[in-house]
Amino acid sequence: MTGTCPRDISQNEDMADPAETAILTIDLGALAANYQQLRDLAAPADCAAVVKADAYGLGMVRAAPALSNAGCKTFFVATLGEAQDLRALLPDAVIYVFNGLLPDTAEAFRASNLRPVLNSAEEVQEWAAYCTRVGDKLACAVHIDSGMNRLGLSTAEVNALASAADVWSAFTLSLVMSHLACADDPSHVKNAKQRASFDTLRTKLPDAPTSLANSAGILLGPDFTFDLVRPGIALYGGHPQRRGKNPFKSVVTLKGRILRIRDAEAGETVGYGATRTLRRPTRVAVISVGYADGIFRALSTKDDEDGLVVHLGARAAPILGRVSMDLIAVDVTDIPQDLSARGEWVEFLGPNVSAHDFAVHAGTIDYEVLTNLGRRARRLYIGG
Ligand SMILES: *Cc1c(COP(=O)(O)O)cnc(C)c1O
């Protein structure tokens, strides 16, 4: 029960248009508080913010300025296009692009004062050649692969480039980074292996600030924080680890409205495919949201399946049958009628229904829950 206080939520609903059927509330105060908590956890390392994929679906236009106001100076995005959008919002921020240099994009990086994360020897050579040509020692990061086999210089590439003084003198190396594959599991042996590999390989490159930890990496402790940490999911209220209690505040609340209540008999079925047969006389509430609002169809329930429990205030209600595009049925038999009347609001994600529970029931992770929130719900930013 951390995060958005219930009073805020009811105020938001009071403010709503009577025709409103879905509201996505994004608490910028909670976002700023999560940033401060991560910064304190990682200190004395610096704390950046990852705002790729439209700030994990929450809206970079609102999230990035809020993070900047909270003291964040360094930002990471995935693509050059995202970085150009961010530059328009934050003229003075340091902005890195994880996906690095594609052929013929160096000029666009320079034009908007953006820093590529160079992910291969080829990209390093290309950036060096470009900087030499324009006579400008532009800043960039170099990504070393420490065991994930995705982006980043391989050990052989690091060794081959290590002594290429002309390459390293052509630009400003402002960050050397790597990325952890298994940080969501603190007991995984790969964490220490990757840390050791990063620590060895980085000493072969010119001296520069270092970065290894994403959100989960920060929770692995001071051995993993280096000079700069790069949290994403924890800022937005997701749970970085697979187990235990989420130490971060809920940022996103998604609510739909009860369109009608119907009484159904034991033996009747609910929804498409008739996948759910009722075992008792049931009060069914039909809610105005569905998979087009990011409530995954995988949250559908079959006979006798428990599934995700949604909330009417403090009261829990299970999902009945298939999630469809615009509608979801829930069982409100055990909820007082005044709380479960036509027009009332039902929480599918928020302080009572965590992104983690939502994700686990849908067979996915918090990241996919947040980045799939649809565009139909009205977005309400509070606490900014
Ligand atoms: C997305 C990303 C992050 C942020 O990860 P979270 O798990 O969301 O904290 C950090 N580093 C890299 C390279 C990334 O791609």
Side-chain angles (χ1 to χ4, degrees), residues 15-38:
M15 280 156 54
D17 185 305
E20 213 73 79
T21 53
I23 296 187
L24 187 62
T25 308
I26 294 155
D27 185 344
L28 298 173
L31 174 70
N34 287 339
Y35 175 76
Q36 276 146 12
Q37 190 179 342
L38 287 155

Side-chain angles (χ1 to χ4, degrees), residues 40-68:
D40 292 347
L41 273 170
D46 245 357
C47 189
V50 179
V51 295
K52 62 192 180 190
D54 201 24
Y56 288 44
L58 275 58
M60 185 175 75
V61 169
R62 299 302 300 266
L67 289 162
S68 173

Side-chain angles (χ1 to χ4, degrees), residues 18 25 48 108 175-176 276 287:
T25 308
L175 191 71
V176 176
R276 181 75 182 231
I287 321 293

Side-chain angles (χ1 to χ4, degrees), residues 54-93:
D54 201 24
Y56 288 44
L58 275 58
M60 185 175 75
V61 169
R62 299 302 300 266
L67 289 162
S68 173
N69 289 336
C72 183
K73 295 188 164 44
T74 304
F75 292 80
F76 290 85
V77 291
T79 71
L80 179 57
E82 291 173 345
Q84 288 163 332
D85 292 346
L86 182 57
R87 177 55 77 215
L89 295 168
L90 301 177
D92 300 324

Side-chain angles (χ1 to χ4, degrees), residues 50 52 56 76 98 143 150 177-179 212-216 230-234 236 240 367:
V50 179
K52 62 192 180 190
Y56 288 44
F76 290 85
F98 281 137
H143 185 164
R150 224 173 46 161
M177 59 165 269
S178 191
H179 193 43
L212 179 62
N214 61 347
S215 302
R230 313 184 305 266
I233 193 70
Y236 309 111
Y367 302 71

